[in-house]
Amino acid sequence: ELPITVTYLEIENFVGFDTVVEEDDATLTITVEGVNDAPVLDPIPDPTIDENSIDPVFTASATDPDGDPVTYSLTGDDAALFTINPTTGEVTPIAGLDAENPTDSNGDGVYDITVVATDPDGATDEEPVAITVGDVNEAPVLDPITDPTIDENSTDPVFTASATDPDGDPVTYSLTGDDAALFTINPTTGEVTPVNPLDFENPTDADGNNVYNITVVATDPSGLTDQEDVAITVADLNEPDGVVDGEATGESMTPGY
């Protein structure tokens, strides 16, 4: 019987039987046992997302050579700020991310996570992803304005509106509303003042009830706005005898003696 020398090249993922036959009468049976292969993640381009968005950022996808199901998870410095669907691989911010106030680990507005794909035997593939948060112009935000009461016949400032722009842009103030024409607002400071004294006995507001309805509008350079309705009440004052509505009546006042 002749000696047999066999050189065997393994075919990846092959499971089964091969038979090598020597022409005399020797038969050699070789069994190739399969080895579990790790899943392989598809490449993931580094994405850019709009600030304050909670829309999905990307969907990871992996293929398992053995046909096993794949489970997705996240690690990395900023993984706690995102969630991944363990079945579909969809990645979403847990909350909106602010370009002006980054919360990533090194504060540069680029969020570093690692996507991990795992098969049932614990074999993994992983890929780092850098998510950039892009700045989006945001509207200014007016501070709350308490409805004021003013004395009749006064031309003193009624209140001063104040707004903050998240992007640090300058804010311009203006007025609209039923009674806006009776007031003026400083476009830079937000100070609101009656154009003329308002008379309690002779109201000039739109519905004649001595409550003047205006709307303060704050506008940024790109035209984004915030607005707030304000109801200004005019209060009656006790006016001196012989004076009605700020004017002398012409009646003489004789001292009582």
Side-chain angles (χ1 to χ4, degrees):
E1 186 171 298
L2 297 177
I4 299 175
T5 300
V6 177
T7 301
Y8 191 86
L9 179 65
E10 180 184 359
I11 301 174
E12 184 180 4
N13 303 320
F14 176 81
V15 178
F17 296 93
D18 269 2
T19 300
V20 178
V21 179
E22 199 275 330
E23 287 189 358
D24 272 351
D25 56 4
T27 299
L28 179 66
T29 299
I30 301 173
T31 300
V32 180
E33 295 184 357
V35 176
N36 181 60
D37 294 295
V40 179
L41 278 161
D42 296 337
I44 306 172
D46 291 336
T48 296
I49 63 173
D50 290 340
E51 64 176 328
N52 304 318
S53 173
I54 55 172
D55 293 334
V57 181
F58 64 88
T59 298
S61 178
T63 302
D64 188 87
D66 306 305
D68 294 329
V70 174
T71 301
Y72 300 95
S73 59
L74 295 177
T75 63
D77 291 343
D78 303 309
L81 300 174
F82 296 83
T83 183
I84 190 168
N85 185 303
T87 304
T88 68
E90 185 178 80
V91 174
T92 309
I94 290 176
L97 301 171
D98 186 1
E100 287 77 23
N101 299 287
T103 53
D104 58 298
S105 60
N106 60 0
D108 65 353
V110 178
Y111 294 74
D112 296 306
I113 64 174
T114 299
V115 177
V116 181
T118 307
D119 73 6
D121 291 322
T124 63
D125 188 22
E126 60 182 49
E127 186 168 348
V129 183
I131 302 170
T132 300
V133 174
D135 190 18
V136 175
N137 185 51
E138 298 170 90
V141 179
L142 278 161
D143 296 335
I145 303 170
T146 302
D147 291 337
T149 297
I150 62 172
D151 291 339
E152 64 174 328
N153 305 320
S154 173
T155 56
D156 292 337
V158 181
F159 64 89
T160 298
S162 178
T164 302
D165 188 88
D167 307 299
D169 294 330
V171 175
T172 302
Y173 300 95
S174 59
L175 296 177
T176 63
D178 292 343
D179 303 310
L182 302 174
F183 296 84
T184 183
I185 189 169
N186 184 304
T188 304
T189 68
E191 184 179 80
V192 174
T193 309
V195 173
N196 295 300
L198 300 171
D199 185 4
F200 179 84
E201 286 74 22
N202 297 287
T204 54
D205 57 298
D207 52 8
N209 66 352
N210 271 315
V211 178
Y212 292 74
N213 296 298
I214 64 174
T215 299
V216 177
V217 182
T219 307
D220 75 4
S222 69
L224 294 179
T225 63
D226 188 23
Q227 61 184 45
E228 187 168 346
D229 296 330
V230 183
I232 302 169
T233 300
V234 173
D236 192 15
L237 285 182
N238 184 32
E239 296 169 287
D241 292 339
V243 177
V244 177
D245 304 337
E247 297 181 0
T249 62
E251 297 178 2
S252 62
M253 292 185 288
T254 302
Y257 59 90

